[in-house]
Amino acid sequence: MKTTIRKTLIMFLAGATLASCAKNDDINDGINVDEDTGCALVEEFVNTAVRITEPTTWTADRVYLFKGITSVEIESELTIEPGTVMKFDSGSSMVVRPGKNGRIIANGTANKRIVFTSYTDRTHCGNMQAEGADTQPARGDWGGITIDGGNNHSFTYADFLYAGGRAGDGTSSAVWFDNDAGGAFTFDHCVFAHTLGEDKKYLNPGSPGISATFEAVFIQRLPNPEAIQFTNNIFYDNDVPMVINSYFPVDASNKFHNPDNPAEQNDRNIIHMFGMEHQEADVTWGHTEVPYVYTGGNSHIAKTPHTITIGPNVVVKFPGVSAGINGWDDIRIINLHPTATLTSFHDDAHGGDSNGNGTATSPSIGDWDGFVTRASSGRRDDVWAAGDNILYADRP
C-alpha cells in the first residue's frame, strides 16, 4: 500500500532559522513512499540555511529532506532520535562551526538506527524523487558532516551513506573533524559506506592521499585519547576509510569490510595516520585487519614522555623516502613487537594493495627512511633498527 506524503518548507523546529529560502512548489509534490517505512511525514528544506540556535530534537516520525544548496548549521545542541532518517542531495551538508557551542547527539539503537544518506537512496523511506525517476544513489551524493567546533559529539548505531561530495561545507569525507573540534567524542556501532573520497584522476600511487571517509587529524586542538570512544564501527565501499592523528585509538572491534559480504572492502583499505606533531600520549597501534600508513618523518622532536606500542602482527607502511618513525631515548619509547612489520607503502605482500593500483608498482629498498632511536646527546648516537620485520627502508 502507498501513502502520499505531504511536502513542507517551514520553520519546523524551535530554534531553527531559515534564511534565503527559495521555495519551489513543484519539487516532490505527489511523492509516494511505502507505508511500512514509517516515513510518511516529510519535512523538506530547499535552497536554505537551517540554523539550529537552541536545543532541538529531530524525531523519528518523519524523514528530513535537504534539497538544493542547503546547509544545516548547528550552533546549539541537536538531538536526533533513534530511527530518524535524513536525506541530502548534492548541494547539502551539515556543519558545526567554531565558537558556536554546537553539539550533535545522534544515539540510535540496534533496532532503530539513525540514517544520514542520499536523497536518492530508496532503501530508506522510499523514493523521494518525482514519480517514476530511476536515479540510483552514488558515492558523493551529499556533502557529509563537518565538525569544526563543540565537544562530546556522540553517534551510536548511525549509518553514514553516499557522502563525500564537495558542495557547500562538504569535503571528501562522511565525517570530518576539523581544526577547532573538541577532543572528546563517541562513535560506536556506526556504518560508513559508499563515500566518494578523492578524485581518482588525481591519485598519486605513492601517497595515501589527504582525504578519507572519517577524518580526525586535529590540526589545532589536541584530542584526549581517554575521552574518545571509537568502537564496533564498519567501513566498506569507500576510498580510504580513515585519516587520523597518530595518537587516535582505533579499537580492534572496528571492521573494514561489509559483514554481509566480506569481499566488499575499501579501495585503499588502510588507516592513514599523519605525523606526531599534534599530540603526544601513550597509544597502541594494534589493528591487524588493515595496515596503518604513517605519513611522518624522523625530524620530529618528542616533547612529552609517552610510549607507542606496535602490536603483534600489525603492519605499518611508509609512503615516500622522507617517511619514517623515530623513538627518543628519554621521551618517546617505541615498542615494536617482533611479529609486527614496518615496510614500504608499495609492499602488497604485507597488508595488501594499499595504494589500490594492483601490480603497477612494487617495493624496493630505499622506499622509506627507516626506524631510528634518537639520542638526546646528538645524532652521532642515533641507532637505526634492522631486522627481518623492517623491509625496504633506506637505513641502516
Side-chain angles (χ1 to χ4, degrees), residues 98-178:
K100 298 295 185 178
N101 297 315
R103 182 185 179 199
I104 303 174
I105 303 173
N107 294 331
T109 68
N111 296 323
K112 294 183 177 181
R113 300 186 69 86
I114 293 170
V115 180
F116 303 85
T117 190
S118 166
Y119 195 85
T120 61
D121 182 0
R122 302 183 190 190
T123 62
H124 297 93
C125 295
N127 184 5
M128 294 301 163
Q129 305 165 83
E131 187 71 24
D134 59 359
T135 304
Q136 299 299 313
R139 291 184 181 187
D141 271 357
W142 64 287
I145 302 173
T146 297
I147 297 176
D148 196 16
N151 201 16
N152 293 304
H153 302 278
S154 181
F155 298 84
T156 63
Y157 293 96
D159 299 342
F160 305 88
L161 310 176
Y162 302 105
R166 290 182 174 270
D169 290 288
T171 66
S172 296
S173 306
V175 176
W176 179 29
F177 278 79
D178 205 353

Side-chain angles (χ1 to χ4, degrees), residues 173-326:
S173 306
V175 176
W176 179 29
F177 278 79
D178 205 353
N179 298 3
D180 290 304
F185 57 80
T186 295
F187 284 83
D188 181 58
H189 285 97
C190 294
V191 172
F192 299 85
H194 322 301
T195 313
L196 180 61
E198 295 185 23
D199 192 323
K200 298 298 187 287
K201 295 185 296 184
Y202 305 111
L203 290 185
N204 177 355
S207 168
I210 59 173
S211 298
T213 299
F214 180 90
E215 293 197 35
V217 181
F218 304 99
I219 296 174
Q220 294 177 3
R221 295 287 183 91
L222 305 182
N224 177 4
E226 295 182 357
I228 293 172
Q229 181 183 358
F230 198 84
T231 50
N232 303 299
N233 301 301
I234 295 171
F235 293 82
Y236 67 89
D237 191 38
N238 307 292
D239 180 17
V240 174
M242 302 182 71
V243 56
I244 58 174
N245 181 296
S246 52
Y247 296 94
F248 181 107
V250 181
D251 190 79
S253 62
N254 296 289
K255 306 300 181 186
F256 296 85
H257 64 273
N258 183 350
D260 296 326
N261 178 16
E264 188 176 25
Q265 302 177 358
N266 301 282
D267 297 348
R268 295 182 286 176
N269 213 12
I270 60 175
I271 299 169
H272 181 198
M273 301 185 298
F274 271 93
M276 300 177 182
E277 291 80 1
H278 311 301
Q279 187 202 26
E280 295 175 342
D282 294 341
V283 67
T284 295
W285 300 349
H287 214 289
T288 57
E289 181 183 355
V290 297
Y292 295 83
V293 175
Y294 177 64
T295 300
N298 286 322
S299 60
H300 175 61
I301 300 175
K303 299 177 181 179
T304 304
H306 63 281
T307 299
I308 297 174
T309 299
I310 304 176
N313 303 308
V314 169
V315 175
V316 183
K317 297 187 177 185
F318 297 86
V321 295
S322 62
I325 187 169
N326 68 322

Side-chain angles (χ1 to χ4, degrees), residues 16-40:
T17 302
L18 294 162
S20 304
C21 178
K23 180 177 180 180
N24 183 341
D25 289 325
D26 294 327
I27 296 176
N28 292 331
D29 282 335
I31 295 171
N32 293 318
V33 298
D34 292 328
E35 192 172 61
D36 60 4
T37 60
C39 299

Side-chain angles (χ1 to χ4, degrees), residues 14-16 51-56 75-78:
R51 294 179 59 232
I52 309 299
T53 59
E54 296 179 2
T56 299
E75 301 176 4
S76 184
E77 185 168 282
L78 173 62

Side-chain angles (χ1 to χ4, degrees), residues 89-107:
D89 80 351
S90 59
S92 300
S93 60
M94 298 179 71
V95 60
V96 180
R97 298 198 185 280
K100 298 295 185 178
N101 297 315
R103 182 185 179 199
I104 303 174
I105 303 173
N107 294 331

